[in-house]
Amino acid sequence: MAPWGERLAGVRGVLLDISGVLYDSGAGGGTAIAGSVEAVARLKGSRLKVRFCTNESQKSRAELVGQLRRLGFDISEGEVTAPAPAACQILKERGLRPYLLIHDGVRSEFDQIDTSNPNCVVIADAGESFSYQNMNNAFQVLMELENPVLMSLGKGRYYKETSGLMLDVGPYMKALEYACGIKAEVVGKPSPEFFKSALQAIGVEAHQLLSM
Amino acid sequence: MAPWGERLAGVRGVLLDISGVLYDSGAGGGTAIAGSVEAVARLKGSRLKVRFCTNESQKSRAELVGQLRRLGFDISEGEVTAPAPAACQILKERGLRPYLLIHDGVRSEFDQIDTSNPNCVVIADAGESFSYQNMNNAFQVLMELENPVLMSLGKGRYYKETSGLMLDVGPYMKALEYACGIKAEVVGKPSPEFFKSALQAIGVEAHQLLSM
């Protein structure tokens, strides 16, 4: 691998993940990862454009940013690219009214979205809300549509909490795909459109980017 | 297609499905499909060997047979090939101790099975028991095993109840497969081993069989 000086030569912007990079989530708001508060401050004081790009979909941006600010990070809502607002934009553009199979913590992001008489399903890391009943509701909505649209906020397999490994949204996306014989549209990493929207927000091209 | 006389010439045995063929399940024990009680009686009075082969895995054979007998069918437990007892035989042969993600109605079939310190997972059409917590328990068991074994009783996508379409075991099997990066072993139809065990029970070869 090329030395840092060389690798950074053409770099104009930095995308920073949040969970596992800036902080570890957990009870009581989680803990900042050593050195990360200072690293963010230095990056924002440099000539580099900084954008926070996360697949967090159990919390609204407001809640996430509040948590990070309490840990000492210099971060505001407008600097965060997250799947829920990205999904809202797509829903509006395409006139889609979702059945929401999501965590209550992120529901406020969808406040402006019409969810009456649903013509698509949006699933996110819903945790305990992944009940049989809720999954079956989502399934029934999809089966009644001529062109079923399933939008998944990320497709992670699992993540780690202090209590152990936890199923993420991906397995439940696969379950609905198999049940309905369809393919989900993934909003969030690793979707190229999602990265592009983060880049557009800071006016940086992909080849000018450092992502971590 | 050849006429019936010709098709039946070499036939020595008949495999009969149960749900949707003999009866429609539903509230109050379901209803016999018109003509099916008499058809079973005639088949059993003929020279043909008869075996009932079902993927039913929400009920024990005892409960299923009791229900069918109340509807007028001449059927006994020993005439039924079902996934739960087939799975029990495999578990015993291979020294496997399952974490059971199953419906309470079929739990009695596993009475003789050691479930302490599990070294595999068995999932079946568990209905409401497909909670996030239970799915996560099954996932955690699999992730702690060096050679994770996931046994699925059938792999149906969904079935119909009077209240609407219901998710079957298949989508949940797919969820765990994706989460753990493994492939499930399916016990029940359409697994060839399952059909073979039904044929062995009546001493009939595959080419001598009529299945419906």
Side-chain angles (χ1 to χ4, degrees), chain A residues 132 140 155 165 167 178, chain B residues 132 136 140 155 165 167 178:
Chain A
Y132 182 74
Q140 290 182 348
K155 60 173 190 175
L165 299 182
L167 287 170
Y178 178 73
Chain B
Y132 182 75
N136 215 54
Q140 290 182 347
K155 59 173 187 174
L165 298 182
L167 287 170
Y178 178 74

Side-chain angles (χ1 to χ4, degrees), chain A residues 13-64:
Chain A
V14 181
L15 285 193
L16 293 175
D17 197 348
I18 296 181
S19 185
V21 172
L22 299 191
Y23 88 126
D24 283 324
S25 61
T31 48
I33 290 171
S36 61
V37 170
E38 298 74 20
V40 168
R42 280 185 61 193
L43 281 170
K44 292 185 81 169
S46 78
R47 62 170 181 83
L48 295 169
K49 304 274 188 185
V50 176
R51 182 92 189 158
F52 302 93
C53 187
T54 177
N55 260 9
E56 172 63 57
S57 46
Q58 277 206 350
K59 297 182 188 78
S60 65
R61 280 167 303 169
E63 193 187 340
L64 180 62

Side-chain angles (χ1 to χ4, degrees), chain B residues 83-154:
Chain B
C88 287
Q89 199 180 326
I90 296 169
L91 293 168
K92 282 179 197 163
E93 282 166 10
R94 290 164 55 184
L96 292 170
R97 302 176 306 275
Y99 172 83
L100 296 170
L101 180 41
I102 61 175
H103 197 278
D104 280 342
V106 78
R107 206 164 283 272
S108 63
E109 293 278 15
F110 294 86
D111 274 352
Q112 305 303 314
I113 299 293
D114 180 6
T115 56
S116 65
N117 188 23
N119 59 4
C120 79
V121 166
V122 170
I123 57 167
D125 173 16
E128 297 286 344
S129 295
F130 278 133
S131 65
Y132 182 75
Q133 188 60 61
N134 287 345
M135 279 289 284
N136 215 54
N137 290 344
F139 164 67
Q140 290 182 347
V141 166
L142 289 169
M143 290 297 276
E144 276 169 21
L145 296 172
E146 201 175 337
N147 297 305
V149 174
L150 171 61
M151 212 175 283
S152 183
L153 305 198

